[in-house]
C-alpha cells in the first residue's frame, strides 16, 4: 500500500463544487484561520470508508499523506492513524504513533483535524502518564497546538478527571480567537455533563471574565433559568 493509492481513491470521488463550499466553510481566504488550505470536496463519511481500505498503510506512508496539501488527504491520514492507535495495544507501538503525530503537528492545522484526532491519540496515550506536554502545547504561539491541548483533555473528562481541563480553561480564558472560546466552552460543557457542581464552581469564579461564546457553550445544557443567571452576570 502506498500514499499514491490513497490519493487516487480520494481524487476519484472529488467534487469541485463541494470543494468551493468547503473552502468557504473552513475560512481559507486571506487572513482567515484556514488561509490557503485546499479541498477536493469529499465528505467525512467517504473519507472514513476509504480510510478503512487502507488500515494497513505503513506509518511512513501515513506520514507522507499527512504532508499533502489537500485537506482531505490530511484528515484521511489522521483517521487511519486514530484507527491504528485504537488497535495498537503494545506501548512501543502506541508511542511510535504518538511520536509521528507530534512530529507532524504543523500539518494538523484546522479545527476538524484537531477534533478528530487529539483526544483519540494524545488523550488516550496520556491518560496514565505525565501531562506536561499539554501545557507546553497550550503555551505555543500556534492556535492549533493550543486547541490540541484543550481537546486532548476530552479523554480525561470522559474518565472523570477534570483538573487539567479546568487549569487549561483558566490559562486560556482570555484567548483572542473565538475558535478557542468555543473549544474551551465545549470541554467545560462536557465537564458539566459528568459533574455539574464542578462546572458551576468554575463558572461562579470565572463566568464574568469569560468571552460570551465560551460561556454560552459551557452552559448550553443548563435549564433556561440557570443559563440566564450566568448570562446576566456578564
Amino acid at each position: 500500500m502506498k500514499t499514491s493509492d490513497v490519493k487516487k481513491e480520494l481524487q476519484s470521488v472529488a467534487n469541485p463544487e463541494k470543494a468551493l463550499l468547503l473552502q468557504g466553510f473552513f475560512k481559507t481566504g486571506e487572513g482567515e484561520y484556514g488561509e490557503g488550505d485546499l479541498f477536493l470536496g469529499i465528505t467525512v463519511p467517504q473519507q472514513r470508508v476509504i480510510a478503512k481500505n487502507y488500515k494497513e498503510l505503513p506509518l511512513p506512508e501515513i506520514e507522507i499523506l499527512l504532508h499533502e496539501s489537500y485537506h482531505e488527504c490530511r484528515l484521511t491520514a489522521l483517521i487511519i492513524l486514530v484507527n491504528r492507535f485504537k488497535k495498537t495495544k503494545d506501548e512501543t507501538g502506541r508511542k511510535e504513533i504518538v511520536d509521528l503525530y507530534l512530529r507532524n503537528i504543523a500539518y494538523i492545522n484546522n479545527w476538524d483535524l484537531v477534533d478528530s484526532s487529539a483526544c483519540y491519540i494524545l488523550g488516550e496515550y496520556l491518560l496514565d502518564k505525565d501531562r506536561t506536554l499539554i501545557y507546553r502545547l497550550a503555551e505555543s504561539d500556534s492556535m492549533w497546538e493550543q486547541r490540541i491541548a484543550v481537546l486532548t483533555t476530552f479523554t480525561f473528562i470522559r474518565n472523570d478527571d477534570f483538573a487539567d481541563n479546568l487549569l487549561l480553561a483558566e490559562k486560556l480564558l482570555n484567548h483572542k480567537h473565538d475558535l478557542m472560546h468555543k473549544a474551551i466552552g465545549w470541554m467545560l460543557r462536557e465537564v458539566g455533563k459528568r459533574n455539574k457542581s464542578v462546572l458551576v464552581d468554575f463558572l461562579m469564579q470565572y463566568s464574568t471574565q469569560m468571552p460570551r461564546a465560551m460561556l454560552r457553550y459551557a452552559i448550553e445544557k443548563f435549564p433556561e433559568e440557570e443559563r440566564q443567571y450566568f448570562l446576566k452576570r456578564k
Side-chain angles (χ1 to χ4, degrees):
M1 289 185 174
K2 294 286 186 181
T3 301
S4 57
D5 299 324
V6 187
K7 287 173 60 181
K8 284 178 185 176
E9 194 159 348
L10 287 168
Q11 289 167 341
S12 73
V13 293
N15 182 330
E17 290 183 4
K18 187 171 182 62
L20 288 174
L21 293 174
L22 289 172
Q23 283 172 208
F25 181 74
F26 284 99
K27 308 296 184 185
T28 62
E30 184 177 354
E32 295 182 307
Y33 63 74
E35 182 177 354
D37 207 354
L38 300 174
F39 287 81
L40 290 166
I42 308 171
T43 67
V44 174
Q46 286 177 307
Q47 291 173 73
R48 291 195 180 280
V49 170
I50 292 171
K52 285 183 180 179
N53 295 337
Y54 294 92
K55 60 185 178 182
E56 301 300 330
L57 189 69
L59 287 180
E61 296 295 320
I62 297 175
E63 188 164 16
I64 293 170
L65 189 62
L66 194 51
H67 290 195
E68 287 291 327
S69 57
Y70 284 107
H71 188 101
E72 291 94 340
C73 289
R74 301 197 302 281
L75 180 53
T76 301
L78 290 168
I79 293 169
I80 296 169
L81 202 61
V82 167
N83 292 341
R84 181 75 53 82
F85 188 86
K86 288 178 180 178
K87 292 184 177 180
T88 301
K89 304 304 178 185
D90 66 283
E91 193 66 16
T92 300
R94 286 161 64 90
K95 186 177 186 304
E96 190 175 9
I97 292 170
V98 168
D99 287 345
L100 186 155
Y101 188 84
L102 293 173
R103 187 166 66 243
N104 294 280
I105 204 165
Y107 300 96
I108 307 166
N109 57 355
N110 214 314
W111 59 264
D112 63 322
L113 304 179
V114 172
D115 298 1
S116 63
S117 63
C119 69
Y120 302 109
I121 295 177
L122 289 188
E124 292 293 336
Y125 185 71
L126 296 176
L127 195 56
D128 60 353
K129 295 177 179 63
D130 177 82
R131 299 171 186 176
T132 305
L133 169 65
I134 63 171
Y135 293 94
R136 290 205 305 269
L137 292 173
E139 292 172 0
S140 170
D141 292 332
S142 164
M143 177 175 68
W144 304 124
E145 292 186 17
Q146 292 173 323
R147 189 171 174 113
I148 286 171
V150 171
L151 265 292
T152 292
T153 68
F154 202 171
T155 302
F156 311 158
I157 294 167
R158 287 169 172 158
N159 286 270
D160 295 321
D161 182 351
F162 312 126
D164 292 297
N165 176 262
L166 298 178
L167 285 170
L168 288 180
E170 180 183 356
K171 181 180 181 66
L172 297 169
L173 199 66
N174 297 309
H175 199 283
K176 63 182 180 181
H177 206 291
D178 71 332
L179 279 178
M180 288 300 296
H181 302 167
K182 293 173 182 177
I184 294 165
W186 170 24
M187 290 300 100
L188 288 172
R189 183 176 73 226
E190 293 301 322
V191 169
K193 286 161 67 174
R194 306 288 299 194
N195 190 322
K196 186 175 179 179
S197 65
V198 170
L199 175 56
V200 169
D201 287 347
F202 185 88
L203 293 174
M204 291 302 293
Q205 186 171 359
Y206 293 109
S207 65
T208 58
Q209 306 168 47
M210 294 167 71
R212 202 161 187 84
M214 187 188 298
L215 177 59
R216 284 189 175 278
Y217 269 62
I219 62 176
E220 186 177 20
K221 299 298 182 181
F222 281 15
E224 184 61 23
E225 186 176 348
E226 290 181 61
R227 287 183 69 258
Q228 290 302 320
Y229 169 78
F230 284 108
L231 288 171
K232 288 174 181 176
R233 291 184 89 223
K234 290 286 290 177

